[in-house]
Amino acid sequence: MFKGLFQNTKNNSTKIVNIEDLNPFNIPKHVAIIMDGNGRWAKGKGLPRIAGHRAGMEAIKRVAKAANKVGVEIVTLFAFSTENWKRPENEVNFLMGLPQEFLLKEIDELNEQNVQVKIMGFDENLPEHTIKAVREAERRTEKNTGLILNFALNYGSRHEIVHATKSIVHDVLEGKITEQQIDERLLGQYLLTKNYPDPDLLIRTSGELRLSNFLLWQMAYTELYFTSAFWPEFNEQHFIEAIYDYQQRGRRFGAI
Ligand code: IPE
Ligand code: IPE
Ligand code: MG
């Protein structure tokens, strides 16, 4: 199990990484993932893009299991961005049906694994059936105490920051807070991530080296990990390799 070739990003040496190689005292609490490459994966197999999105759901299951196993507490998955509305209507419609398909099918197993499903994003523009499905999944897993599986759905970091700014101005004008109280901690409380610590590790699949408007404020000091694997290929071994790589980093947060 877990055997694979590990490419050390620091010295290019290769090493086989197993789950036992992970330092149990340095597991990232919060892992954010940009699940990218579904379309290219499908294209490479001569399939329509939506087949890639469907295959990507299996990768979510694998990652939830692996995260539970190694002791990650929160996984935030970028499922649909505020910019993804620019895609063709048939693809958008398909993506809007996936939460329902995934959550209905997997809810029992997620409950068995004690997973708490959470949704983070803006309801505006989301179809009613999508909102209903995700709220239902949240409700049906809210008593669980294990891994938080947090889906960023219709999420965009700039939109989030604009929204937070407006809410802060509103609360100042209403006299609920004063200008003097505005600091980094307070702003953080107006973001959709207010209940979570900042991500320790970001994983982006498919070889793209950018953030695509994901958690810009929250990832000021997040360790970044990029892999060329397409999201539908991503498995437990890839996840362990990412965590192993994270554990080789020296996090300084500006200090020495
Ligand atoms: C990620 O895969 C899923 C979403 C953005 C919804 P893509 O659909 O972006 O796949 P590529 O990047 O075009 O291959
Ligand atoms: C980021 O992937 C959004 C999600 C994974 C949901 P995109 O495929 O939309 O990002 P770009 O367009 O390549 O930057
Ligand atoms: Mg993409």
Side-chain angles (χ1 to χ4, degrees):
M1 261 174 122
F2 311 124
K3 289 221 158 43
L5 223 45
F6 169 68
Q7 277 280 340
N8 188 308
T9 50
K10 284 219 169 107
N11 60 17
N12 271 337
S13 69
T14 52
K15 179 188 182 311
I16 308 283
V17 189
N18 302 301
I19 196 166
E20 298 79 27
D21 293 321
L22 297 180
N23 173 359
F25 301 105
N26 186 22
I27 301 295
K29 228 184 175 71
H30 184 178
V31 177
I33 304 181
I34 301 177
M35 310 186 283
D36 199 12
N38 293 353
R40 278 164 286 162
W41 177 85
K43 193 170 172 226
K45 294 193 159 337
L47 298 168
R49 289 178 57 84
I50 57 170
H53 298 314
R54 180 159 278 127
M57 293 198 290
E58 294 301 313
I60 295 176
K61 280 163 63 180
R62 291 192 291 270
V63 164
K65 277 202 184 121
N68 248 331
K69 198 183 286 187
V70 304
V72 168
E73 292 174 27
I74 309 158
V75 171
T76 296
L77 299 165
F78 206 2
F80 191 90
S81 78
T82 46
E83 287 73 40
N84 288 148
W85 297 106
K86 295 175 196 161
R87 296 185 178 203
E89 200 183 329
N90 69 326
E91 183 168 343
V92 168
N93 287 343
F94 183 83
L95 288 167
M96 288 301 140
L98 277 189
Q100 191 164 7
E101 187 176 327
F102 177 78
L103 295 166
L104 282 183
K105 205 165 107 219
E106 304 303 335
I107 199 81
D108 290 337
E109 194 169 337
L110 291 168
N111 269 324
E112 256 163 53
Q113 290 175 42
N114 198 21
V115 169
Q116 312 174 57
V117 173
K118 300 285 178 203
I119 307 298
M120 181 180 84
F122 296 92
D123 280 358
E124 60 208 35
N125 303 328
L126 288 177
E128 203 53 50
H129 67 89
T130 308
I131 298 175
K132 233 182 116 203
V134 298
R135 294 283 165 251
E136 167 88 356
E138 282 186 322
R139 196 184 57 70
R140 288 178 65 182
T141 59
E142 72 189 356
K143 298 220 161 64
N144 293 342
T145 54
L147 175 74
I148 294 174
L149 196 58
N150 181 30
F151 290 86
L153 190 63
N154 195 23
Y155 173 86
S157 202
R158 289 184 168 184
H159 189 71
E160 178 189 34
I161 291 168
V162 168
H163 188 266
T165 307
K166 287 186 177 176
S167 302
I168 290 172
V169 169
H170 180 267
D171 286 353
V172 170
L173 292 175
E174 294 259 293
K176 286 189 193 146
I177 53 169
T178 64
E179 184 192 337
Q180 286 67 37
Q181 282 175 300
I182 302 171
D183 59 10
E184 292 181 12
R185 195 204 56 82
L186 183 124
L187 201 148
Q189 286 304 305
Y190 282 81
L191 299 177
L192 300 178
T193 47
K194 64 173 186 283
N195 297 323
Y196 310 124
D198 290 341
D200 301 292
L201 170 66
L202 169 79
I203 299 171
R204 183 172 189 149
T205 57
S206 89
E208 303 298 351
L209 307 178
R210 57 176 170 268
L211 298 179
S212 302
N213 201 16
F214 193 39
L215 300 171
L216 301 180
W217 170 277
Q218 296 86 341
M219 296 209 292
Y221 272 102
T222 297
E223 296 296 327
L224 309 179
Y225 180 86
F226 299 98
T227 171
S228 58
F230 292 132
W231 178 249
E233 306 171 314
F234 196 82
N235 58 28
E236 180 168 280
Q237 180 61 37
H238 291 111
F239 189 74
I240 286 164
E241 285 167 11
I243 296 194
Y244 186 84
D245 194 278
Y246 166 84
Q247 294 188 335
Q248 313 313 306
R249 315 272 181 97
R251 302 185 78 188
R252 287 183 286 281
F253 302 97
I256 51 171

